[in-house]
Amino acid sequence: MTFLYLPFWFFKARILRKKHPLQTVIFISDHCNLRCKHCHVISDRPPITKSYETIREELQYSYDLGTRFVDFEGGEPMLWQENGRNINDLIRLAKKIGFFSTTVTTNAQLPFDHCEADSIWVSLDGLEHFHDEIRGEGTFARLEKNINNLTRKHVSVNMVVNSSNYTNVPELIEYVKQSPKIKSVSLNFHTPYEGTESLLLDWKLRKEVINQIITYKKRGYPIMNSVSGMKKMIDNSFKDYCWVTNFILPDGTRLPECTGKTAGMCDHCGLCMAGEMHSVMNFKLDTIWAGLKLRAQLRIR
Ligand SMILES: C[S@@+](CC[C@H](N)C(=O)[O-])C[C@H]1O[C@@H](n2cnc3c(N)ncnc32)[C@H](O)[C@@H]1O
């Protein structure tokens, strides 16, 4: 089914120029167990946790728009609960509605081996003190323990590279390669939402880091980003296709594109999905291959 729907969507998007989203990011809550220095979701008001019913409506709305992939975001998704329901009930709901695949992004401070998402992304912003510097003391140790306790190899990690952790990128890539529990790493750059500007990585250093990542990728390291997509992130001067993902925020606001666009962040965007989408839409085979591999991933149980 996925392999019929994707070419159909691509034809409509690229040839007929119909801007229908393919994937959805739903913030199910902005309640979190961490206070990360770089976080763009955190706010001063009391946290909001959406009800199962609200999430059901948002999933159905997105499905009706044509999206078939959903990423449950937070806050911390593993904290979501309602009358004995947990994140797995949302995953099953999405599948029942018809989504092909579900993704959860977690800070891994709580055990998550039970999570039934097709893809689980753990946010890992460096090793040891590099991670703790951004996410708080003891967070790396808890993350490592919960990853080591996994009964199967079903997670990838996401590093957000910033001015305080960029020197740790090579070590982190080596760590991922050697880990018996981690499949791959995806690298992104800090996007300087208000109050987090000091973490923005200087453009010259960003280019150096990107070239480093490309070298590792070409040597066969398990890096999710494609070479074509990474190259686009060197100066952000490319046509964006960010309408491919619609966003539904913790307060229920429905955005047809990334939150960064509304916040005027595109010139400083570090979300490498932007480069990946540009490359897919421009028929870059390495990116299409990376995307298909990601989408076709089956959970190994
Ligand atoms: C907001 S968190 C929520 C999920 C979960 N609590 C976690 O920490 O992974 C989702 C992802 O957004 C990333 N993120 C947060 N603020 C960011 C920023 N300013 N620029 C780029 N990525 C950011 C985080 O590192 C994380 O990988």
Side-chain angles (χ1 to χ4, degrees):
M1 188 61 182
T2 315
F3 287 99
L4 286 178
Y5 193 82
L6 287 180
F8 170 66
W9 176 86
F10 189 79
F11 176 77
K12 278 204 305 187
R14 194 68 182 90
I15 312 297
L16 304 181
R17 298 184 186 277
K18 298 247 186 273
K19 291 187 174 182
H20 294 166
L22 182 63
Q23 51 191 18
T24 296
V25 174
I26 295 188
F27 289 84
I28 57 176
S29 162
D30 54 11
H31 175 42
C32 198
N33 46 3
L34 295 183
R35 286 285 172 274
C36 306
K37 286 183 183 167
H38 68 308
C39 186
H40 67 88
V41 179
I42 205 150
S43 96
D44 293 335
R45 57 158 170 69
I48 295 171
T49 297
K50 287 178 184 169
S51 67
Y52 181 84
E53 186 50 27
T54 300
I55 297 166
R56 193 192 61 71
E57 279 169 22
E58 293 177 348
L59 283 168
Q60 189 64 55
Y61 161 79
S62 302
Y63 183 86
D64 292 344
L65 289 179
T67 94
R68 292 295 181 269
F69 302 93
V70 59
D71 178 11
F72 291 112
E73 276 287 350
E76 174 49 41
M78 293 301 154
L79 293 175
W80 188 90
Q81 282 187 347
E82 184 186 282
N83 300 330
R85 288 176 167 142
N86 66 18
I87 187 72
N88 283 340
D89 293 284
L90 301 180
I91 291 163
R92 288 177 207 144
L93 174 64
K95 286 299 184 79
K96 196 171 158 204
I97 288 176
F99 284 87
F100 297 150
S101 141
T102 58
T103 301
V104 168
T105 311
T106 177
N107 57 30
Q109 297 303 291
L110 293 167
F112 59 93
D113 201 25
H114 64 289
C115 181
E116 295 172 7
D118 298 285
S119 306
I120 302 176
W121 288 92
V122 169
S123 300
L124 175 58
D125 294 323
L127 303 183
E128 314 275 357
H129 69 273
F130 284 98
H131 185 81
D132 284 9
E133 170 62 26
I134 296 156
R135 292 183 165 256
E137 210 178 320
T139 54
F140 178 79
R142 273 194 295 277
L143 172 150
E144 198 173 45
K145 179 168 157 257
N146 285 322
I147 288 185
N148 286 341
N149 284 342
L150 292 174
T151 51
R152 58 200 194 277
K153 187 171 178 164
H154 64 144
V155 294
S156 293
V157 296
N158 171 41
M159 177 178 190
V160 177
V161 182
N162 61 38
S163 59
S164 82
N165 66 4
Y166 71 94
T167 55
N168 199 232
V169 168
E171 269 182 76
L172 185 130
I173 293 174
E174 291 284 356
Y175 176 86
V176 168
K177 187 176 185 206
Q178 277 151 33
S179 167
K181 297 288 165 75
I182 304 173
K183 289 195 289 195
S184 64
V185 55
S186 161
L187 295 119
N188 288 285
F189 291 89
H190 180 69
T191 304
Y193 287 84
E194 198 181 342
T196 69
E197 294 85 349
S198 64
L199 286 167
L200 180 65
L201 187 63
D202 164 90
W203 284 100
K204 194 170 154 281
L205 290 172
R206 173 155 152 170
K207 185 175 177 178
E208 284 172 20
V209 172
I210 288 177
N211 286 330
Q212 228 174 15
I213 296 168
I214 290 175
T215 305
Y216 275 100
K217 173 91 185 176
K218 287 183 172 167
R219 284 164 57 197
Y221 279 73
I223 295 169
M224 192 61 83
N225 312 62
S226 68
V227 172
S228 302
M230 288 267 27
K231 280 183 182 165
K232 287 288 151 201
M233 300 306 290
I234 289 177
D235 61 7
N236 277 13
S237 62
F238 57 88
K239 175 175 161 56
D240 77 70
Y241 290 89
C242 296
W243 51 265
V244 169
T245 310
N246 71 311
F247 281 68
I248 308 189
L249 307 188
D251 67 3
T253 306
R254 297 175 180 189
L255 296 177
E257 300 190 46
C258 165
T259 49
K261 188 153 243 180
T262 321
M265 290 289 123
C266 296
D267 286 349
H268 292 101
C269 176
L271 301 172
C272 292
M273 184 50 77
E276 299 294 319
M277 278 325 305
H278 175 89
S279 301
V280 167
M281 292 302 212
N282 285 280
F283 304 98
K284 298 289 180 195
L285 290 181
D286 63 321
T287 313
I288 292 173
W289 177 238
L292 285 177
K293 265 204 309 195
L294 179 65
R295 292 304 176 204
Q297 267 175 15
L298 292 172
R299 281 176 302 132
I300 302 160
R301 284 200 173 266

